[in-house]
Amino acid sequence: MTETADHRDSYSPSAEFAAAANADAALYERASADRDAFWAEQASRLHWHQPWSQVLDWSDAPVAKWFADGKLNVAYNCVDRHVLDGHGDQIAIHWEGEPGDSRAITYRELLAEVSRAANYLTELGLEAGDRVAIYMPMVPEAIVSMLACARLGLTHSVVFAGFSPTALRQRVDDASARLIITTDGQWRRGKSAPLKEAVDEALFANGDVPHSVEHVLVVRRTEIEVPWTDGRDLWWHETVAQASPEHEAQPFDAEHPLFILYTSGTTGKPKGILHTSGGYLTQTSYTHHNVFDHKAGQDVYWCTADIGWVTGHSYIVYGPLANRTTQVVYEGTPNSPDEHRHFQIIEKYGVTIYYIAPTLVRTFMKWGREIPAAHDLSSIRLLGSVGEPINPEAWRWYREVIGGNRTPIVDTWWQTETGAIMISPLPGVTATKPGAAMGALPGISALVVDEEGKPVQRGEAEANGYLVLDQPWPSMLRGIWGDMDRYRATYWERYAEQGWYFAGDGAKLDADGDLWVLGRVDDVMNVSGHRISTAEVESALVGHSGVAEAAVVGASDETTGQGIVAFVILTAEAEDTGTALVNELKAEVSRAISPIAKPREIHVVPELPKTRSGKIMRRLLRDVAEGRELGDTSTLVDPNVFEAIRATKA
C-alpha cells in the first residue's frame, strides 16, 4: 500500500471514529449467521402497532412481503414517537430558503403541521389507497405533505418541480391522482419561476381528455400571480393552516403502498416504482443509522438531494426523521447568490454529516479550493456520495478539501428501485478506496456475474460483469405501478433462471474482492445523478416537426458524469439553420422533459448507423461522441455512414 500523505490507496477509519461508531464488524457476522433474525432486529428499531409473525414471505417471487402481518404508521415513526419520548423541542428541520429566509421547525411543530394537513386531506374526502401528486420545490410543506399522506395511507407520487407540464400530466394520469399539491412558484437563482401555472398547463394539456384530479392545493411561496379555478384550487394558508393540530395516526399493513416514484425506463414511458411501508422504513432507518453513523440529538445532517428523487424520499424524509435527526433542508442552488452558499450553510448550522452527488464535488473542484477554504468546515465528521460512481480524483479532493483530510467518505450505491442503500462502506469499519463502492451492507447480498450468470473472479482482467442482487431485501420495489409484466421483464428476465434482480449497472471486483460500480449498461443515461432514458429524449426530439429520426447517447462528461449527445436526421421539408435549429431542438427537449435532459450537443446527420434488423447502434455513436476509435462495424448495413457523421462533428 502506498502511504504518501494525500495519495494512499486505502483510508482506514481513525481509532477514535471506530471506537464511537454505531456499526462494528459484528453486524456482518450477525447478518450472515441468520439473515431473517438480523432484519427482525433492524425492524424492532421502529414502533409497530401490531408485531409481525413472519419476517419474509418470498413465495410469490419476485414480489416480496416483509413483516407482512405487522402493522405500523410511517408518519408516527417519523414524528409522533419522538414527541411522546420527550424530544418535542428538538429541531427536526433547519430550513434555509434561497432568498435568505429561514425557519427552525421542532418535532412538536412538525407533528402539529402534519396533523393539520392530515385533517384537511381527510376533509377533502381522500381515503387510504388514494394517490396524491406532490409537485413542489424544497419547502417544508413538501415534507409535511409527504408525511400527511403516509399518516393517512395515501400513496404519494412526488414529481420533481423541474419537470415539464407534459411529464407531470403523464405521471398524474398513470397514478390516477385525485389531488395535486404544489406552490405558486419556486425560487431559482434569485428569480421566481411559476409552478402552479405548469399544473394548469398539465391539466389542460390533453384537450378534452379527462383527468383524475379533483383539487389543487397551493402553498404561497413566491407571491407571484397564479391562474385560479374556483372550486378546484385551494390555498394552503386558508385551509390546511386553519385545520386542527390534533390527529391520531392509524396503523396500516406493513405492505401498504407508501409511494410511487417515476424513473426513466429504456422505453419512452417512465416506470412508476412502487414502494411499501414496513420493509422500506426498516431499511432506510437501518442504513441511515449505520452508513452515516448518525447520533440523534448530536449530529446536524444535510442531504442536498431534492424530494423529487428517491434520495430525497429515503435520506431527507423517511430514514432521517425515523432516526430523530436534526437536518438542514435548503431550497436553492449551490451558487445562489454565489459559490459560497453551501459552505456558509455548513458554518451557520454546524453541519456534521454532508451527503452530496459526485457532480457537485466536481463542480466545487472547478470553482476552486479557495472557496471552501474561506470557511470553517471543521464541524464535518462524515461525507457521503450518491447518484453515480465517484471518480478517484474527485473522491480524494472531497476528502482533503471538504473533509479536512480526516473524515470517512461513504460512497453509496443504490437505486430508486432498491429504495435504500445497498452497497457502501461502513464508516467505522471499512478501509475505503477512492472510487470504490466497496461491498454489500450487512443483510444485503450482491454478486458480479457474466452474461451466463457465473460469478466473475476477483482481480482478473475479465473481472468486469453485471451487478445483480441474489437475495430479496426489505426496501425493494414491489412492482411497477399498473404493469407487473413490465416489472418482471425489466428486472428479473435477464437472470430468471437464477431468480436474481438485475440492476442495469456494470461492476468489477478488484484483487481484494472489493466492488467498483461502472455505471449503466442499458439505454438509461446518468446525468448529474438523474436517470434519463435515451428513448425519452429521442421521443422529445422527434416531436419537433423538422426531425424525422433521432438517436441519443450518454457520453462521458467531466462535470456531470454523462452528457447527452444527440444525432438527428431532418425531414425532407426541414431546413438546417445550424445553431438556430440546434437551440430550437434543445429548447424542445427542455420543454418536453426538463432542462436536465437538454442535450449537450446535437448533430444533424444524413443517416444513422443501423444493423440489418434496423437497430440503431448506440454503442458506435458513443464511440463517435467520445472521440474513440470505432468498435466492430461489421453488423452495420452501411459502415460508411460514420464518415458522414464524423464530418458533422468536425
Side-chain angles (χ1 to χ4, degrees):
M1 189 168 76
T2 325
E3 281 290 352
T4 56
D6 300 323
H7 229 78
R8 285 174 278 160
D9 296 334
S10 173
Y11 295 75
S12 299
S14 68
E16 185 189 5
F17 192 102
N22 291 345
D24 59 25
L27 265 188
Y28 291 101
E29 291 158 24
R30 292 209 299 283
S32 59
D34 187 336
R35 206 162 173 272
D36 280 12
F38 175 80
W39 282 117
E41 180 192 322
Q42 304 317 315
S44 66
R45 301 178 68 248
L46 304 176
H47 176 274
W48 293 82
H49 283 74
Q50 177 183 306
W52 66 89
S53 60
Q54 183 181 13
V55 173
L56 168 64
D57 176 357
W58 191 227
S59 60
D60 190 24
V63 180
K65 292 189 178 76
W66 283 86
F67 317 112
D69 53 351
K71 291 182 189 295
L72 79 172
N73 185 290
V74 170
Y76 182 95
N77 271 284
C78 291
V79 192
D80 305 48
R81 66 173 173 149
H82 307 318
V83 177
L84 293 168
D85 288 345
H87 301 291
D89 292 335
Q90 181 184 322
I91 290 172
I93 298 167
H94 285 294
W95 179 75
E96 186 78 13
E98 192 190 83
D101 49 339
S102 60
R103 285 168 65 187
I105 303 165
T106 65
Y107 274 97
R108 184 175 288 106
E109 289 164 340
L110 185 59
L111 175 57
E113 290 288 308
V114 171
S115 298
R116 285 189 181 99
N119 281 319
Y120 187 66
L121 296 187
T122 303
E123 204 179 302
L124 285 178
L126 293 163
E127 295 173 351
D130 285 342
R131 273 81 61 203
V132 173
I134 297 172
Y135 185 56
M136 300 173 87
M138 293 297 289
V139 292
E141 291 83 359
I143 295 170
V144 168
S145 298
M146 290 169 75
L147 290 168
C149 287
R151 191 176 194 85
L152 296 172
L154 304 170
T155 302
H156 62 67
S157 166
V158 180
V159 180
F160 174 55
F163 275 151
S164 68
T166 313
L168 172 64
R169 175 65 185 261
Q170 203 176 20
R171 288 154 174 78
V172 163
D173 285 351
D174 190 66
S176 304
R178 288 184 62 190
L179 170 71
I180 297 178
I181 308 178
T182 189
T183 58
D184 53 359
Q186 60 179 329
W187 291 110
R188 269 291 171 266
R189 295 189 172 87
K191 292 192 177 72
S192 166
L195 213 53
K196 165 64 166 64
E197 202 176 287
V199 172
D200 280 43
E201 198 183 314
L203 295 182
F204 296 125
N206 294 359
D208 297 332
V209 180
H211 55 73
S212 52
V213 176
E214 295 161 21
H215 291 102
V216 178
L217 183 55
V218 188
V219 173
R220 184 179 274 160
R221 171 63 187 133
T222 60
E223 307 279 346
I224 54 172
E225 288 274 314
V226 291
W228 204 255
T229 302
D230 285 330
R232 186 197 71 186
D233 297 348
L234 309 153
W235 282 113
W236 179 286
H237 61 273
E238 290 175 357
T239 55
V240 175
Q242 310 305 318
S244 163
E246 305 288 328
H247 182 274
E248 191 175 342
Q250 299 302 311
F252 291 96
D253 291 342
E255 285 298 327
H256 186 80
L258 179 62
F259 67 88
I260 302 164
L261 187 56
Y262 288 85
T263 185
S264 283
T266 51
T267 68
K269 185 178 184 244
K271 309 186 292 275
I273 303 301
L274 176 67
H275 282 289
T276 56
S277 305
Y280 171 80
L281 194 64
T282 293
Q283 194 173 329
T284 50
S285 167
Y286 153 70
T287 48
H288 178 265
H289 177 73
N290 289 293
V291 172
F292 298 107
D293 193 50
H294 172 261
K295 315 277 198 261
Q298 296 174 38
D299 278 310
V300 177
Y301 165 85
W302 185 14
C303 166
T304 67
D306 188 286
I307 55 150
W309 310 112
V310 73
T311 307
H313 286 57
S314 300
Y315 296 106
I316 292 177
V317 183
Y318 295 114
L321 293 174
N323 289 338
R324 189 165 55 84
T325 300
T326 294
Q327 67 178 317
V328 171
V329 174
Y330 172 52
E331 178 186 33
T333 53
N335 56 350
S336 186
D338 58 37
E339 287 81 3
H340 290 267
R341 189 64 187 269
H342 265 228
F343 309 113
Q344 287 163 343
I345 292 172
I346 291 169
E347 275 186 307
K348 177 176 176 179
Y349 296 109
V351 170
T352 58
I353 302 165
Y354 185 51
Y355 190 33
I356 65 176
T359 297
L360 191 53
V361 177
R362 290 190 289 268
T363 300
F364 290 159
M365 288 171 76
K366 219 155 47 175
W367 292 347
R369 62 174 60 209
E370 59 279 3
I371 291 172
H375 302 273
D376 178 5
L377 307 181
S378 61
S379 61
I380 294 176
R381 66 179 196 88
L382 186 131
L383 297 170
S385 166
V386 62
E388 59 188 302
I390 184 168
N391 53 307
E393 185 193 5
W395 192 103
R396 292 180 197 280
W397 191 94
Y398 190 30
R399 185 183 195 276
E400 183 190 332
V401 178
I402 311 296
N405 236 345
R406 55 185 169 75
T407 59
I409 294 178
V410 287
D411 175 14
T412 62
W413 178 87
W414 58 296
Q415 303 173 309
T416 304
E417 293 88 345
T418 71
I421 296 167
M422 304 293 283
I423 297 172
S424 168
L426 283 179
V429 180
T430 316
T432 51
K433 295 173 182 172
M438 299 306 296
L441 289 172
I444 302 299
S445 184
L447 300 173
V448 181
V449 299
D450 65 13
E451 287 278 0
E452 280 74 52
K454 294 190 187 74
V456 303
Q457 299 307 306
R458 60 172 68 183
E460 291 179 2
E462 59 277 4
N464 289 14
Y466 300 105
L467 181 55
V468 298
L469 302 167
D470 63 324
Q471 297 285 339
W473 62 99
S475 66
M476 68 191 293
L477 75 166
R478 299 301 196 263
I480 291 173
W481 182 256
D483 197 344
M484 292 306 283
D485 290 343
R486 190 180 179 194
Y487 166 63
R488 288 184 176 86
T490 304
Y491 302 108
W492 302 91
E493 201 169 74
R494 187 163 194 160
Y495 294 104
E497 201 183 312
Q498 297 89 343
W500 294 342
Y501 169 94
F502 175 49
D505 277 339
K508 68 173 184 182
L509 296 176
D510 65 18
D512 302 317
D514 293 323
L515 193 145
W516 299 66
V517 178
L518 303 173
R520 305 297 301 170
V521 297
D522 57 16
D523 295 330
V524 175
M525 301 167 291
N526 196 328
V527 181
S528 300
H530 305 315
R531 282 172 61 180
I532 298 160
S533 80
T534 55
E536 225 172 340
V537 181
E538 286 165 3
S539 158
L541 288 164
V542 175
H544 186 280
S545 59
V547 176
E549 201 173 1
V552 167
V553 295
S556 55
D557 187 283
E558 213 174 89
T559 305
T560 60
Q562 280 189 304
I564 298 173
V565 178
F567 300 86
V568 299
I569 300 172
L570 300 183
T571 59
E573 303 75 41
E575 187 192 345
D576 184 356
T577 54
T579 308
L581 175 66
V582 166
N583 289 340
E584 212 176 294
L585 292 174
K586 286 182 178 180
E588 178 67 18
V589 175
S590 284
R591 188 198 62 73
I593 307 170
S594 165
I596 290 165
K598 188 166 71 178
R600 180 184 80 188
E601 300 164 31
I602 297 180
H603 303 286
V604 176
V605 295
E607 197 46 73
L608 290 168
K610 290 180 182 171
T611 61
R612 290 170 186 83
S613 63
K615 188 171 188 283
I616 295 170
M617 291 292 281
R618 288 187 182 78
R619 170 177 60 79
L620 297 173
L621 286 174
R622 205 171 290 121
D623 289 342
V624 172
E626 295 181 343
R628 279 195 302 273
E629 283 298 306
L630 290 183
D632 178 19
T633 60
S634 59
T635 56
L636 294 181
V637 177
D638 177 13
N640 299 323
V641 69
F642 280 102
E643 293 317 311
I645 291 176
R646 280 225 173 86
T648 69
K649 279 185 67 68

